[in-house]
Amino acid sequence: MEKQTKTHFRKVYKSDHLGVADLEDLLEDGKRLVFKIREVKQELGVQVAGKRGDFNIAYFEEKIKPLVLNATNAAVLKGFTGSSFVEDWKGLLVELYIDSTVSMKGQVVGGVRILKKQPIIDNGLDSKINNCNDISSLQSLFVSMSKEQQQKYKTLVTERKKQLENVKSA
């Protein structure tokens, strides 16, 4: 089955920062939206979405665009660390998602959010889960694990299963 290539309408609006269209591309490729923050910088007088201003911007270890942190996402990072200082957010593991209810200027446009729960990563198991191409292979992997592993990584398996279902329904 050949993958159909479609172009998101937002692609023509060039952005140097992470947006919904970027996450949709990653999801279509079956990627899990978990990233490690390399650093967060307060950048003064930068242009974001055609508007010049002061912004907190998160840069990631992975090769993706930086994320402009709005107040909601900054509050999530503060909650993870207990610190209000952006320098203390370095090294955090975050999972991003698309929130279709985000409004801007009175219109519902969708937006990038940080999940309020930090992801669990086990490089060995995570890569095995990411290599599963369908629901039955995820189920087989889950059954082969010890009870302790099943409990610890059930969230990870469930998230990957949802991603596969979303890609198939798209």
Side-chain angles (χ1 to χ4, degrees):
M1 184 174 179
E2 195 173 312
K3 181 181 172 184
Q4 185 180 9
T5 304
K6 294 182 179 181
T7 305
H8 196 284
F9 75 93
R10 290 186 180 169
K11 283 289 184 188
V12 297
Y13 308 112
K14 293 184 180 178
S15 172
D16 294 332
H17 301 97
L18 201 57
V20 171
D22 300 306
L23 292 189
E24 286 175 341
D25 286 347
L26 292 170
L27 286 172
E28 285 177 16
D29 290 341
K31 303 248 193 294
R32 188 165 179 231
L33 303 178
V34 175
F35 306 102
K36 186 175 184 179
I37 295 176
R38 184 181 72 232
E39 66 179 328
V40 177
K41 293 181 183 177
Q42 288 188 339
E43 298 193 17
L44 309 177
V46 296
Q47 191 155 343
V48 172
K51 188 175 168 183
R52 192 162 295 281
D54 301 339
F55 300 95
N56 292 314
I57 300 178
Y59 294 87
F60 298 97
E61 297 282 338
E62 297 78 10
K63 292 187 179 200
I64 62 167
K65 294 177 183 178
L67 176 64
V68 178
L69 296 173
N70 58 19
T72 301
N73 286 335
V76 172
L77 296 179
K78 178 186 177 203
F80 288 165
T81 62
S83 173
S84 299
F85 300 100
V86 299
E87 294 82 6
D88 294 336
W89 301 345
K90 177 182 178 176
L92 284 176
L93 202 58
V94 297
E95 183 159 6
L96 305 179
Y97 70 98
I98 299 168
D99 182 347
S100 59
T101 66
V102 172
S103 297
M104 185 179 353
K105 298 180 184 173
Q107 276 193 312
V108 177
V109 295
V112 177
R113 293 282 191 238
I114 298 173
L115 197 63
K116 292 179 182 175
K117 181 180 175 195
Q118 282 191 281
I120 298 169
I121 292 293
D122 174 289
N123 289 335
L125 186 60
D126 193 49
S127 63
K128 287 179 186 176
I129 290 169
N130 284 333
N131 288 331
C132 291
N133 295 320
D134 56 33
I135 304 302
S136 64
S137 59
L138 280 170
Q139 290 170 336
S140 296
L141 176 63
F142 188 75
V143 170
S144 71
M145 297 183 331
S146 70
K147 292 289 181 197
E148 184 178 292
Q149 286 177 314
Q150 285 179 351
Q151 205 160 355
K152 188 174 181 186
Y153 298 110
K154 191 171 185 177
T155 302
L156 193 60
V157 172
T158 303
E159 290 168 1
R160 180 68 177 147
K161 186 175 172 182
K162 285 179 188 174
Q163 286 178 351
L164 289 172
E165 289 170 349
N166 289 339
V167 168
K168 284 186 178 181
S169 66

